[in-house]
């Protein structure tokens, strides 16, 4: 048996998703509104020296806010390390 380490091709772009509070819900929902405000950010990972740098490429929240309808939403998610 050999240890099957699969190297992911560096040509393909890696993606990860994280959860984040929706910036639009934070504005439009009142504080006592109990709707969930946590959406999903999808990050495109750009390989760096010791870490990857993620760039937000899409966002979607359970209340219908998406980067498809409002691309400016992605400005709320700054590039970060992964
Ligand atoms: Zn929202």
């Amino acid at each position: 048996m050999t240890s099957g380490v699969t190297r992911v091709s560096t040509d393909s772009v890696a993606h990860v998703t994280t959860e984040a509070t929706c910036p639009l819900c934070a504005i439009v929902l009142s504080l006592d509104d109990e709707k969930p405000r946590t959406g999903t950010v999808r990050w495109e990972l750009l390989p760096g020296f010791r870490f990857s740098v993620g760039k937000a490429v899409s966002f979607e929240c359970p209340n219908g806010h998406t980067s498809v309808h409002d691309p400016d939403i992605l400005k709320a998610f700054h590039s970060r390390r992964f």
Side-chain angles (χ1 to χ4, degrees):
M1 290 277 286
T2 54
S3 61
V5 176
T6 306
R7 287 188 81 79
V8 179
S9 166
T10 52
D11 296 332
S12 62
V13 179
H15 290 90
V16 291
T17 57
T18 61
E19 295 196 329
T21 302
C22 175
L24 288 184
C25 285
I27 296 169
V28 300
L29 297 184
S30 58
L31 282 175
D32 56 356
D33 194 319
E34 304 208 338
K35 277 184 190 164
R37 301 161 190 225
T38 304
T40 304
V41 192
R42 188 170 157 88
W43 304 87
E44 189 176 284
L45 293 188
L46 309 168
F49 176 50
R50 304 180 79 163
F51 50 83
S52 295
V53 176
K55 183 179 141 220
V57 290
S58 74
F59 179 80
E60 191 172 0
C61 98
N63 301 314
H65 302 129
T66 74
S67 57
V68 175
H69 296 124
D70 190 353
D72 280 351
I73 208 168
L74 294 177
K75 291 180 181 167
F77 305 105
H78 300 285
S79 295
R80 47 168 280 192
R81 297 176 184 182
F82 283 89

